[in-house]
Amino acid sequence: MIVEATNYFAKDGRAEDVLKQRRRATEIRRQLGLAPGRILVRTEGDGPDVQWECSFETREDYEADMAARKASKDFTEARQAMHTLLSRFERHLYEVDQ
């Protein structure tokens, strides 16, 4: 199993906007027939203001998901809008340890 985790570090005062934009991107995922994943909001400590994660059965499933996102005009626009709100973005892939 592959897990994609994206970390969103908001520009000063923009954390709520980042969360709203992540929710919008998640709704676009649903409209595309993709798994919505899970949104996490930092409540304390250091780290990203918002994190999104989604699990995929195989690497091929992950790559197909990425291709669907790339092919979507709406998702591309949502991604571009998100980056105007961020001071930093990270994407990490993990393999679940069986």
Side-chain angles (χ1 to χ4, degrees):
M1 176 158 305
I2 301 295
V3 177
E4 176 185 2
T6 55
N7 296 322
Y8 302 96
F9 296 84
K11 289 180 180 176
D12 286 342
R14 302 305 299 264
E16 187 62 33
D17 296 327
V18 169
L19 177 58
K20 287 177 186 176
Q21 188 63 21
R22 182 60 253 182
R23 288 173 177 159
R24 182 172 178 272
T26 296
E27 182 54 35
I28 293 168
R29 288 183 60 78
R30 284 189 179 98
Q31 293 169 7
L32 294 171
L34 303 174
R38 180 167 78 166
I39 299 171
L40 306 169
V41 180
R42 181 172 50 93
T43 58
E44 62 182 67
D46 294 329
D49 298 284
V50 176
Q51 184 179 65
W52 175 82
E53 64 179 39
C54 193
S55 298
F56 304 92
E57 288 295 319
T58 66
R59 179 68 185 223
E60 291 78 17
D61 291 339
Y62 166 74
E63 290 171 359
D65 188 281
M66 286 293 286
R69 288 184 250 177
K70 186 176 182 180
S72 168
K73 180 179 180 266
D74 289 339
F75 196 87
T76 298
E77 289 172 357
R79 179 183 289 141
Q80 291 169 344
M82 175 65 89
H83 284 283
T84 69
L85 304 171
L86 302 176
S87 62
R88 189 165 112 207
F89 170 81
E90 300 172 344
R91 175 179 289 120
H92 305 280
L93 289 182
Y94 300 93
E95 187 173 335
V96 175
D97 182 29
Q98 301 297 331

